[in-house]
PDB file of all heavy atoms in Angstrom:
ATOM      1  N   MET A   1     106.218  83.752  87.095  1.00 75.00           N
ATOM      2  CA  MET A   1     105.067  84.596  87.429  1.00 75.00           C
ATOM      3  C   MET A   1     103.904  83.808  88.016  1.00 75.00           C
ATOM      4  O   MET A   1     103.163  84.319  88.830  1.00 75.00           O
ATOM      5  CB  MET A   1     104.596  85.354  86.198  1.00 75.00           C
ATOM      6  CG  MET A   1     105.186  86.715  86.092  1.00 75.00           C
ATOM      7  SD  MET A   1     104.304  87.712  84.934  1.00 75.00           S
ATOM      8  CE  MET A   1     105.314  87.506  83.506  1.00 75.00           C
ATOM      9  N   GLU A   2     103.736  82.568  87.607  1.00 77.00           N
ATOM     10  CA  GLU A   2     102.608  81.774  88.082  1.00 77.00           C
ATOM     11  C   GLU A   2     102.806  81.268  89.511  1.00 77.00           C
ATOM     12  O   GLU A   2     101.868  80.830  90.151  1.00 77.00           O
ATOM     13  CB  GLU A   2     102.368  80.582  87.150  1.00 77.00           C
ATOM     14  CG  GLU A   2     101.857  80.980  85.782  1.00 77.00           C
ATOM     15  CD  GLU A   2     102.957  81.488  84.862  1.00 77.00           C
ATOM     16  OE1 GLU A   2     104.154  81.239  85.128  1.00 77.00           O
ATOM     17  OE2 GLU A   2     102.616  82.157  83.877  1.00 77.00           O
ATOM     18  N   ASP A   3     104.037  81.295  89.993  1.00 85.00           N
ATOM     19  CA  ASP A   3     104.333  80.841  91.346  1.00 85.00           C
ATOM     20  C   ASP A   3     103.750  81.827  92.356  1.00 85.00           C
ATOM     21  O   ASP A   3     104.024  83.017  92.294  1.00 85.00           O
ATOM     22  CB  ASP A   3     105.844  80.723  91.532  1.00 85.00           C
ATOM     23  CG  ASP A   3     106.232  80.219  92.912  1.00 85.00           C
ATOM     24  OD1 ASP A   3     105.413  79.502  93.527  1.00 85.00           O
ATOM     25  OD2 ASP A   3     107.338  80.540  93.365  1.00 85.00           O
ATOM     26  N   ILE A   4     102.952  81.346  93.297  1.00 89.00           N
ATOM     27  CA  ILE A   4     102.285  82.233  94.250  1.00 89.00           C
ATOM     28  C   ILE A   4     103.044  82.344  95.572  1.00 89.00           C
ATOM     29  O   ILE A   4     102.858  83.307  96.316  1.00 89.00           O
ATOM     30  CB  ILE A   4     100.824  81.769  94.484  1.00 89.00           C
ATOM     31  CG1 ILE A   4      99.998  82.835  95.198  1.00 89.00           C
ATOM     32  CG2 ILE A   4     100.779  80.470  95.273  1.00 89.00           C
ATOM     33  CD1 ILE A   4      99.727  84.037  94.396  1.00 89.00           C
ATOM     34  N   MET A   5     103.932  81.408  95.849  1.00 92.00           N
ATOM     35  CA  MET A   5     104.611  81.411  97.151  1.00 92.00           C
ATOM     36  C   MET A   5     105.570  82.593  97.312  1.00 92.00           C
ATOM     37  O   MET A   5     105.637  83.199  98.371  1.00 92.00           O
ATOM     38  CB  MET A   5     105.362  80.094  97.374  1.00 92.00           C
ATOM     39  CG  MET A   5     104.445  78.915  97.604  1.00 92.00           C
ATOM     40  SD  MET A   5     103.185  79.218  98.866  1.00 92.00           S
ATOM     41  CE  MET A   5     104.177  79.390 100.310  1.00 92.00           C
ATOM     42  N   MET A   6     106.315  82.921  96.276  1.00 91.00           N
ATOM     43  CA  MET A   6     107.243  84.041  96.390  1.00 91.00           C
ATOM     44  C   MET A   6     106.513  85.373  96.584  1.00 91.00           C
ATOM     45  O   MET A   6     106.892  86.144  97.459  1.00 91.00           O
ATOM     46  CB  MET A   6     108.161  84.105  95.190  1.00 91.00           C
ATOM     47  CG  MET A   6     109.263  85.111  95.356  1.00 91.00           C
ATOM     48  SD  MET A   6     110.490  84.836  94.101  1.00 91.00           S
ATOM     49  CE  MET A   6     111.541  86.208  94.384  1.00 91.00           C
ATOM     50  N   PRO A   7     105.450  85.672  95.827  1.00 93.00           N
ATOM     51  CA  PRO A   7     104.711  86.910  96.098  1.00 93.00           C
ATOM     52  C   PRO A   7     104.089  86.951  97.497  1.00 93.00           C
ATOM     53  O   PRO A   7     104.040  88.017  98.115  1.00 93.00           O
ATOM     54  CB  PRO A   7     103.625  86.931  95.023  1.00 93.00           C
ATOM     55  CG  PRO A   7     104.185  86.128  93.915  1.00 93.00           C
ATOM     56  CD  PRO A   7     105.013  85.069  94.566  1.00 93.00           C
ATOM     57  N   VAL A   8     103.663  85.805  98.013  1.00 95.00           N
ATOM     58  CA  VAL A   8     103.109  85.774  99.374  1.00 95.00           C
ATOM     59  C   VAL A   8     104.206  86.104 100.381  1.00 95.00           C
ATOM     60  O   VAL A   8     103.996  86.904 101.303  1.00 95.00           O
ATOM     61  CB  VAL A   8     102.450  84.406  99.674  1.00 95.00           C
ATOM     62  CG1 VAL A   8     102.182  84.237 101.150  1.00 95.00           C
ATOM     63  CG2 VAL A   8     101.166  84.257  98.878  1.00 95.00           C
ATOM     64  N   PHE A   9     105.372  85.512 100.215  1.00 95.00           N
ATOM     65  CA  PHE A   9     106.483  85.815 101.112  1.00 95.00           C
ATOM     66  C   PHE A   9     106.879  87.284 101.007  1.00 95.00           C
ATOM     67  O   PHE A   9     107.115  87.957 102.009  1.00 95.00           O
ATOM     68  CB  PHE A   9     107.682  84.908 100.799  1.00 95.00           C
ATOM     69  CG  PHE A   9     108.897  85.236 101.612  1.00 95.00           C
ATOM     70  CD1 PHE A   9     108.954  84.920 102.954  1.00 95.00           C
ATOM     71  CD2 PHE A   9     109.971  85.895 101.028  1.00 95.00           C
ATOM     72  CE1 PHE A   9     110.070  85.237 103.709  1.00 95.00           C
ATOM     73  CE2 PHE A   9     111.096  86.222 101.775  1.00 95.00           C
ATOM     74  CZ  PHE A   9     111.140  85.892 103.127  1.00 95.00           C
ATOM     75  N   ILE A  10     106.949  87.795  99.784  1.00 95.00           N
ATOM     76  CA  ILE A  10     107.332  89.197  99.578  1.00 95.00           C
ATOM     77  C   ILE A  10     106.303  90.141 100.188  1.00 95.00           C
ATOM     78  O   ILE A  10     106.662  91.139 100.814  1.00 95.00           O
ATOM     79  CB  ILE A  10     107.545  89.485  98.074  1.00 95.00           C
ATOM     80  CG1 ILE A  10     108.785  88.759  97.580  1.00 95.00           C
ATOM     81  CG2 ILE A  10     107.666  90.978  97.810  1.00 95.00           C
ATOM     82  CD1 ILE A  10     108.984  88.807  96.081  1.00 95.00           C
ATOM     83  N   ILE A  11     105.006  89.839 100.049  1.00 96.00           N
ATOM     84  CA  ILE A  11     103.986  90.735 100.605  1.00 96.00           C
ATOM     85  C   ILE A  11     104.023  90.711 102.129  1.00 96.00           C
ATOM     86  O   ILE A  11     103.746  91.724 102.775  1.00 96.00           O
ATOM     87  CB  ILE A  11     102.575  90.431 100.055  1.00 96.00           C
ATOM     88  CG1 ILE A  11     101.646  91.648 100.223  1.00 96.00           C
ATOM     89  CG2 ILE A  11     101.931  89.255 100.743  1.00 96.00           C
ATOM     90  CD1 ILE A  11     101.971  92.808  99.389  1.00 96.00           C
ATOM     91  N   ILE A  12     104.395  89.586 102.727  1.00 96.00           N
ATOM     92  CA  ILE A  12     104.539  89.533 104.190  1.00 96.00           C
ATOM     93  C   ILE A  12     105.678  90.466 104.618  1.00 96.00           C
ATOM     94  O   ILE A  12     105.518  91.254 105.562  1.00 96.00           O
ATOM     95  CB  ILE A  12     104.782  88.085 104.667  1.00 96.00           C
ATOM     96  CG1 ILE A  12     103.511  87.253 104.505  1.00 96.00           C
ATOM     97  CG2 ILE A  12     105.250  88.063 106.122  1.00 96.00           C
ATOM     98  CD1 ILE A  12     103.700  85.779 104.735  1.00 96.00           C
ATOM     99  N   VAL A  13     106.800  90.393 103.925  1.00 96.00           N
ATOM    100  CA  VAL A  13     107.927  91.279 104.251  1.00 96.00           C
ATOM    101  C   VAL A  13     107.543  92.736 104.010  1.00 96.00           C
ATOM    102  O   VAL A  13     107.837  93.612 104.836  1.00 96.00           O
ATOM    103  CB  VAL A  13     109.176  90.889 103.428  1.00 96.00           C
ATOM    104  CG1 VAL A  13     110.287  91.904 103.599  1.00 96.00           C
ATOM    105  CG2 VAL A  13     109.659  89.492 103.817  1.00 96.00           C
ATOM    106  N   ASP A  14     106.851  93.009 102.902  1.00 96.00           N
ATOM    107  CA  ASP A  14     106.408  94.379 102.610  1.00 96.00           C
ATOM    108  C   ASP A  14     105.461  94.904 103.682  1.00 96.00           C
ATOM    109  O   ASP A  14     105.559  96.059 104.095  1.00 96.00           O
ATOM    110  CB  ASP A  14     105.728  94.452 101.241  1.00 96.00           C
ATOM    111  CG  ASP A  14     106.683  94.260 100.082  1.00 96.00           C
ATOM    112  OD1 ASP A  14     107.912  94.321 100.309  1.00 96.00           O
ATOM    113  OD2 ASP A  14     106.209  94.053  98.949  1.00 96.00           O
ATOM    114  N   GLU A  15     104.543  94.072 104.126  1.00 95.00           N
ATOM    115  CA  GLU A  15     103.604  94.484 105.176  1.00 95.00           C
ATOM    116  C   GLU A  15     104.332  94.761 106.491  1.00 95.00           C
ATOM    117  O   GLU A  15     103.983  95.690 107.210  1.00 95.00           O
ATOM    118  CB  GLU A  15     102.539  93.406 105.411  1.00 95.00           C
ATOM    119  CG  GLU A  15     101.324  93.533 104.554  1.00 95.00           C
ATOM    120  CD  GLU A  15     100.455  94.724 104.881  1.00 95.00           C
ATOM    121  OE1 GLU A  15     100.505  95.269 106.000  1.00 95.00           O
ATOM    122  OE2 GLU A  15      99.693  95.127 103.995  1.00 95.00           O
ATOM    123  N   ILE A  16     105.321  93.932 106.807  1.00 94.00           N
ATOM    124  CA  ILE A  16     106.090  94.159 108.037  1.00 94.00           C
ATOM    125  C   ILE A  16     106.813  95.496 107.953  1.00 94.00           C
ATOM    126  O   ILE A  16     106.793  96.285 108.903  1.00 94.00           O
ATOM    127  CB  ILE A  16     107.061  92.986 108.299  1.00 94.00           C
ATOM    128  CG1 ILE A  16     106.276  91.736 108.693  1.00 94.00           C
ATOM    129  CG2 ILE A  16     108.079  93.351 109.372  1.00 94.00           C
ATOM    130  CD1 ILE A  16     107.095  90.466 108.757  1.00 94.00           C
ATOM    131  N   ILE A  17     107.434  95.770 106.814  1.00 95.00           N
ATOM    132  CA  ILE A  17     108.126  97.052 106.633  1.00 95.00           C
ATOM    133  C   ILE A  17     107.131  98.206 106.714  1.00 95.00           C
ATOM    134  O   ILE A  17     107.352  99.183 107.433  1.00 95.00           O
ATOM    135  CB  ILE A  17     108.887  97.076 105.289  1.00 95.00           C
ATOM    136  CG1 ILE A  17     110.048  96.090 105.321  1.00 95.00           C
ATOM    137  CG2 ILE A  17     109.372  98.474 104.955  1.00 95.00           C
ATOM    138  CD1 ILE A  17     110.670  95.826 103.964  1.00 95.00           C
ATOM    139  N   PHE A  18     106.026  98.094 105.999  1.00 93.00           N
ATOM    140  CA  PHE A  18     105.015  99.149 105.964  1.00 93.00           C
ATOM    141  C   PHE A  18     104.445  99.414 107.358  1.00 93.00           C
ATOM    142  O   PHE A  18     104.381 100.554 107.810  1.00 93.00           O
ATOM    143  CB  PHE A  18     103.896  98.743 104.990  1.00 93.00           C
ATOM    144  CG  PHE A  18     102.874  99.809 104.764  1.00 93.00           C
ATOM    145  CD1 PHE A  18     103.115 100.839 103.877  1.00 93.00           C
ATOM    146  CD2 PHE A  18     101.665  99.778 105.425  1.00 93.00           C
ATOM    147  CE1 PHE A  18     102.176 101.820 103.655  1.00 93.00           C
ATOM    148  CE2 PHE A  18     100.714 100.755 105.218  1.00 93.00           C
ATOM    149  CZ  PHE A  18     100.967 101.788 104.323  1.00 93.00           C
ATOM    150  N   ASN A  19     104.057  98.359 108.058  1.00 90.00           N
ATOM    151  CA  ASN A  19     103.457  98.526 109.390  1.00 90.00           C
ATOM    152  C   ASN A  19     104.479  98.974 110.428  1.00 90.00           C
ATOM    153  O   ASN A  19     104.124  99.657 111.384  1.00 90.00           O
ATOM    154  CB  ASN A  19     102.758  97.245 109.836  1.00 90.00           C
ATOM    155  CG  ASN A  19     101.423  97.076 109.147  1.00 90.00           C
ATOM    156  OD1 ASN A  19     100.689  98.035 108.958  1.00 90.00           O
ATOM    157  ND2 ASN A  19     101.115  95.861 108.763  1.00 90.00           N
ATOM    158  N   THR A  20     105.742  98.599 110.256  1.00 90.00           N
ATOM    159  CA  THR A  20     106.776  99.082 111.169  1.00 90.00           C
ATOM    160  C   THR A  20     106.947 100.592 111.033  1.00 90.00           C
ATOM    161  O   THR A  20     107.042 101.308 112.037  1.00 90.00           O
ATOM    162  CB  THR A  20     108.111  98.363 110.911  1.00 90.00           C
ATOM    163  OG1 THR A  20     107.921  96.958 111.085  1.00 90.00           O
ATOM    164  CG2 THR A  20     109.196  98.854 111.843  1.00 90.00           C
ATOM    165  N   VAL A  21     106.958 101.075 109.805  1.00 89.00           N
ATOM    166  CA  VAL A  21     107.058 102.516 109.591  1.00 89.00           C
ATOM    167  C   VAL A  21     105.829 103.224 110.169  1.00 89.00           C
ATOM    168  O   VAL A  21     105.952 104.258 110.821  1.00 89.00           O
ATOM    169  CB  VAL A  21     107.244 102.836 108.087  1.00 89.00           C
ATOM    170  CG1 VAL A  21     107.100 104.323 107.815  1.00 89.00           C
ATOM    171  CG2 VAL A  21     108.590 102.331 107.611  1.00 89.00           C
ATOM    172  N   ILE A  22     104.653 102.656 109.952  1.00 84.00           N
ATOM    173  CA  ILE A  22     103.418 103.230 110.514  1.00 84.00           C
ATOM    174  C   ILE A  22     103.508 103.262 112.039  1.00 84.00           C
ATOM    175  O   ILE A  22     103.156 104.261 112.672  1.00 84.00           O
ATOM    176  CB  ILE A  22     102.178 102.425 110.084  1.00 84.00           C
ATOM    177  CG1 ILE A  22     101.988 102.496 108.584  1.00 84.00           C
ATOM    178  CG2 ILE A  22     100.925 102.886 110.806  1.00 84.00           C
ATOM    179  CD1 ILE A  22     101.631 103.851 108.051  1.00 84.00           C
ATOM    180  N   TYR A  23     103.985 102.178 112.636  1.00 85.00           N
ATOM    181  CA  TYR A  23     104.103 102.123 114.091  1.00 85.00           C
ATOM    182  C   TYR A  23     105.059 103.198 114.603  1.00 85.00           C
ATOM    183  O   TYR A  23     104.740 103.916 115.560  1.00 85.00           O
ATOM    184  CB  TYR A  23     104.580 100.742 114.545  1.00 85.00           C
ATOM    185  CG  TYR A  23     104.913 100.688 116.011  1.00 85.00           C
ATOM    186  CD1 TYR A  23     103.903 100.690 116.967  1.00 85.00           C
ATOM    187  CD2 TYR A  23     106.229 100.675 116.456  1.00 85.00           C
ATOM    188  CE1 TYR A  23     104.192 100.665 118.319  1.00 85.00           C
ATOM    189  CE2 TYR A  23     106.531 100.647 117.793  1.00 85.00           C
ATOM    190  CZ  TYR A  23     105.514 100.641 118.723  1.00 85.00           C
ATOM    191  OH  TYR A  23     105.810 100.621 120.061  1.00 85.00           O
ATOM    192  N   VAL A  24     106.203 103.325 113.971  1.00 85.00           N
ATOM    193  CA  VAL A  24     107.190 104.302 114.423  1.00 85.00           C
ATOM    194  C   VAL A  24     106.641 105.717 114.295  1.00 85.00           C
ATOM    195  O   VAL A  24     106.729 106.520 115.226  1.00 85.00           O
ATOM    196  CB  VAL A  24     108.521 104.146 113.650  1.00 85.00           C
ATOM    197  CG1 VAL A  24     109.443 105.317 113.902  1.00 85.00           C
ATOM    198  CG2 VAL A  24     109.199 102.838 114.026  1.00 85.00           C
ATOM    199  N   VAL A  25     106.050 106.024 113.155  1.00 82.00           N
ATOM    200  CA  VAL A  25     105.594 107.392 112.900  1.00 82.00           C
ATOM    201  C   VAL A  25     104.335 107.740 113.691  1.00 82.00           C
ATOM    202  O   VAL A  25     104.244 108.818 114.282  1.00 82.00           O
ATOM    203  CB  VAL A  25     105.357 107.603 111.386  1.00 82.00           C
ATOM    204  CG1 VAL A  25     104.687 108.931 111.109  1.00 82.00           C
ATOM    205  CG2 VAL A  25     106.670 107.502 110.642  1.00 82.00           C
ATOM    206  N   GLN A  26     103.366 106.833 113.721  1.00 78.00           N
ATOM    207  CA  GLN A  26     102.086 107.189 114.318  1.00 78.00           C
ATOM    208  C   GLN A  26     101.953 106.807 115.789  1.00 78.00           C
ATOM    209  O   GLN A  26     101.087 107.342 116.462  1.00 78.00           O
ATOM    210  CB  GLN A  26     100.946 106.554 113.531  1.00 78.00           C
ATOM    211  CG  GLN A  26     100.809 107.155 112.155  1.00 78.00           C
ATOM    212  CD  GLN A  26      99.633 106.592 111.394  1.00 78.00           C
ATOM    213  OE1 GLN A  26      99.018 105.612 111.788  1.00 78.00           O
ATOM    214  NE2 GLN A  26      99.320 107.204 110.267  1.00 78.00           N
ATOM    215  N   PHE A  27     102.768 105.887 116.279  1.00 76.00           N
ATOM    216  CA  PHE A  27     102.616 105.456 117.662  1.00 76.00           C
ATOM    217  C   PHE A  27     103.855 105.733 118.511  1.00 76.00           C
ATOM    218  O   PHE A  27     103.780 106.390 119.533  1.00 76.00           O
ATOM    219  CB  PHE A  27     102.259 103.963 117.724  1.00 76.00           C
ATOM    220  CG  PHE A  27     100.891 103.668 117.210  1.00 76.00           C
ATOM    221  CD1 PHE A  27     100.702 103.289 115.888  1.00 76.00           C
ATOM    222  CD2 PHE A  27      99.789 103.784 118.029  1.00 76.00           C
ATOM    223  CE1 PHE A  27      99.437 103.028 115.403  1.00 76.00           C
ATOM    224  CE2 PHE A  27      98.523 103.516 117.555  1.00 76.00           C
ATOM    225  CZ  PHE A  27      98.347 103.146 116.238  1.00 76.00           C
ATOM    226  N   LEU A  28     104.989 105.222 118.082  1.00 74.00           N
ATOM    227  CA  LEU A  28     106.197 105.324 118.890  1.00 74.00           C
ATOM    228  C   LEU A  28     106.618 106.774 119.106  1.00 74.00           C
ATOM    229  O   LEU A  28     106.976 107.161 120.222  1.00 74.00           O
ATOM    230  CB  LEU A  28     107.336 104.526 118.241  1.00 74.00           C
ATOM    231  CG  LEU A  28     108.591 104.335 119.088  1.00 74.00           C
ATOM    232  CD1 LEU A  28     108.256 103.535 120.342  1.00 74.00           C
ATOM    233  CD2 LEU A  28     109.648 103.607 118.291  1.00 74.00           C
ATOM    234  N   LEU A  29     106.565 107.581 118.065  1.00 72.00           N
ATOM    235  CA  LEU A  29     106.950 108.981 118.201  1.00 72.00           C
ATOM    236  C   LEU A  29     105.947 109.792 119.024  1.00 72.00           C
ATOM    237  O   LEU A  29     106.251 110.892 119.447  1.00 72.00           O
ATOM    238  CB  LEU A  29     107.142 109.623 116.822  1.00 72.00           C
ATOM    239  CG  LEU A  29     108.322 109.088 116.016  1.00 72.00           C
ATOM    240  CD1 LEU A  29     108.381 109.750 114.653  1.00 72.00           C
ATOM    241  CD2 LEU A  29     109.629 109.283 116.757  1.00 72.00           C
ATOM    242  N   ARG A  30     104.776 109.242 119.253  1.00 74.00           N
ATOM    243  CA  ARG A  30     103.767 109.899 120.090  1.00 74.00           C
ATOM    244  C   ARG A  30     103.701 109.263 121.479  1.00 74.00           C
ATOM    245  O   ARG A  30     102.709 109.385 122.173  1.00 74.00           O
ATOM    246  CB  ARG A  30     102.405 109.821 119.409  1.00 74.00           C
ATOM    247  CG  ARG A  30     102.374 110.619 118.138  1.00 74.00           C
ATOM    248  CD  ARG A  30     101.048 110.571 117.494  1.00 74.00           C
ATOM    249  NE  ARG A  30     101.087 111.351 116.257  1.00 74.00           N
ATOM    250  CZ  ARG A  30     100.167 111.305 115.347  1.00 74.00           C
ATOM    251  NH1 ARG A  30      99.119 110.525 115.509  1.00 74.00           N
ATOM    252  NH2 ARG A  30     100.270 112.032 114.263  1.00 74.00           N
ATOM    253  N   ASN A  31     104.763 108.551 121.817  1.00 76.00           N
ATOM    254  CA  ASN A  31     104.936 107.931 123.135  1.00 76.00           C
ATOM    255  C   ASN A  31     103.883 106.872 123.450  1.00 76.00           C
ATOM    256  O   ASN A  31     103.513 106.671 124.600  1.00 76.00           O
ATOM    257  CB  ASN A  31     104.977 109.004 124.234  1.00 76.00           C
ATOM    258  CG  ASN A  31     105.732 108.513 125.448  1.00 76.00           C
ATOM    259  OD1 ASN A  31     106.513 107.571 125.353  1.00 76.00           O
ATOM    260  ND2 ASN A  31     105.488 109.145 126.577  1.00 76.00           N
ATOM    261  N   ARG A  32     103.403 106.199 122.427  1.00 74.00           N
ATOM    262  CA  ARG A  32     102.534 105.038 122.613  1.00 74.00           C
ATOM    263  C   ARG A  32     103.392 103.812 122.324  1.00 74.00           C
ATOM    264  O   ARG A  32     103.492 103.363 121.199  1.00 74.00           O
ATOM    265  CB  ARG A  32     101.345 105.085 121.672  1.00 74.00           C
ATOM    266  CG  ARG A  32     100.449 106.257 121.917  1.00 74.00           C
ATOM    267  CD  ARG A  32      99.303 106.238 120.956  1.00 74.00           C
ATOM    268  NE  ARG A  32      98.584 107.492 120.985  1.00 74.00           N
ATOM    269  CZ  ARG A  32      97.800 107.912 120.033  1.00 74.00           C
ATOM    270  NH1 ARG A  32      97.611 107.174 118.963  1.00 74.00           N
ATOM    271  NH2 ARG A  32      97.184 109.057 120.137  1.00 74.00           N
ATOM    272  N   THR A  33     103.986 103.278 123.353  1.00 77.00           N
ATOM    273  CA  THR A  33     105.026 102.265 123.165  1.00 77.00           C
ATOM    274  C   THR A  33     104.560 100.835 123.383  1.00 77.00           C
ATOM    275  O   THR A  33     105.376  99.943 123.550  1.00 77.00           O
ATOM    276  CB  THR A  33     106.198 102.555 124.110  1.00 77.00           C
ATOM    277  OG1 THR A  33     105.700 102.576 125.450  1.00 77.00           O
ATOM    278  CG2 THR A  33     106.858 103.864 123.769  1.00 77.00           C
ATOM    279  N   ASN A  34     103.279 100.587 123.369  1.00 80.00           N
ATOM    280  CA  ASN A  34     102.770  99.241 123.572  1.00 80.00           C
ATOM    281  C   ASN A  34     102.863  98.443 122.267  1.00 80.00           C
ATOM    282  O   ASN A  34     101.889  98.294 121.537  1.00 80.00           O
ATOM    283  CB  ASN A  34     101.326  99.290 124.081  1.00 80.00           C
ATOM    284  CG  ASN A  34     100.864  97.938 124.585  1.00 80.00           C
ATOM    285  OD1 ASN A  34     101.557  96.934 124.426  1.00 80.00           O
ATOM    286  ND2 ASN A  34      99.697  97.924 125.191  1.00 80.00           N
ATOM    287  N   LEU A  35     104.049  97.932 121.990  1.00 82.00           N
ATOM    288  CA  LEU A  35     104.310  97.208 120.752  1.00 82.00           C
ATOM    289  C   LEU A  35     103.480  95.927 120.667  1.00 82.00           C
ATOM    290  O   LEU A  35     102.974  95.584 119.598  1.00 82.00           O
ATOM    291  CB  LEU A  35     105.800  96.874 120.619  1.00 82.00           C
ATOM    292  CG  LEU A  35     106.216  96.122 119.369  1.00 82.00           C
ATOM    293  CD1 LEU A  35     105.927  96.949 118.128  1.00 82.00           C
ATOM    294  CD2 LEU A  35     107.682  95.753 119.437  1.00 82.00           C
ATOM    295  N   PHE A  36     103.312  95.220 121.782  1.00 87.00           N
ATOM    296  CA  PHE A  36     102.554  93.972 121.768  1.00 87.00           C
ATOM    297  C   PHE A  36     101.115  94.221 121.316  1.00 87.00           C
ATOM    298  O   PHE A  36     100.566  93.465 120.515  1.00 87.00           O
ATOM    299  CB  PHE A  36     102.570  93.313 123.151  1.00 87.00           C
ATOM    300  CG  PHE A  36     101.770  92.048 123.204  1.00 87.00           C
ATOM    301  CD1 PHE A  36     102.230  90.898 122.583  1.00 87.00           C
ATOM    302  CD2 PHE A  36     100.553  92.008 123.859  1.00 87.00           C
ATOM    303  CE1 PHE A  36     101.485  89.735 122.616  1.00 87.00           C
ATOM    304  CE2 PHE A  36      99.802  90.847 123.895  1.00 87.00           C
ATOM    305  CZ  PHE A  36     100.272  89.705 123.272  1.00 87.00           C
ATOM    306  N   PHE A  37     100.513  95.281 121.799  1.00 84.00           N
ATOM    307  CA  PHE A  37      99.150  95.620 121.392  1.00 84.00           C
ATOM    308  C   PHE A  37      99.098  95.895 119.893  1.00 84.00           C
ATOM    309  O   PHE A  37      98.207  95.422 119.193  1.00 84.00           O
ATOM    310  CB  PHE A  37      98.644  96.849 122.168  1.00 84.00           C
ATOM    311  CG  PHE A  37      97.294  97.320 121.736  1.00 84.00           C
ATOM    312  CD1 PHE A  37      96.150  96.725 122.224  1.00 84.00           C
ATOM    313  CD2 PHE A  37      97.165  98.359 120.813  1.00 84.00           C
ATOM    314  CE1 PHE A  37      94.897  97.144 121.809  1.00 84.00           C
ATOM    315  CE2 PHE A  37      95.929  98.786 120.390  1.00 84.00           C
ATOM    316  CZ  PHE A  37      94.785  98.185 120.905  1.00 84.00           C
ATOM    317  N   PHE A  38     100.049  96.657 119.386  1.00 82.00           N
ATOM    318  CA  PHE A  38     100.080  96.991 117.968  1.00 82.00           C
ATOM    319  C   PHE A  38     100.279  95.748 117.114  1.00 82.00           C
ATOM    320  O   PHE A  38      99.608  95.574 116.102  1.00 82.00           O
ATOM    321  CB  PHE A  38     101.171  98.024 117.693  1.00 82.00           C
ATOM    322  CG  PHE A  38     101.124  98.587 116.313  1.00 82.00           C
ATOM    323  CD1 PHE A  38     100.188  99.552 115.975  1.00 82.00           C
ATOM    324  CD2 PHE A  38     102.010  98.153 115.342  1.00 82.00           C
ATOM    325  CE1 PHE A  38     100.138 100.071 114.688  1.00 82.00           C
ATOM    326  CE2 PHE A  38     101.968  98.665 114.064  1.00 82.00           C
ATOM    327  CZ  PHE A  38     101.036  99.629 113.730  1.00 82.00           C
TER     328      PHE A  38
END
């Protein structure tokens, strides 16, 4: 539990998953396909 590196790695993966879903739902499905900007 005291190790901070694993939670940091996990939160990075969680953020990527979370933001990917946000991108797909709020941008890609509305034909805003500028992935680099996002």
Side-chain angles (χ1 to χ4, degrees):
M1 266 196 263
E2 291 79 18
D3 181 27
I4 194 69
M5 290 310 294
M6 189 166 174
V8 166
F9 176 73
I10 291 172
I11 201 68
I12 289 171
V13 172
D14 290 347
E15 271 291 338
I16 290 171
I17 292 168
F18 186 81
N19 283 320
T20 301
V21 170
I22 296 293
Y23 172 74
V24 168
V25 171
Q26 292 183 349
F27 291 94
L28 190 63
L29 293 178
R30 294 181 181 167
N31 205 20
R32 297 180 192 160
T33 57
N34 192 352
L35 180 62
F36 178 72
F37 176 83
F38 189 78

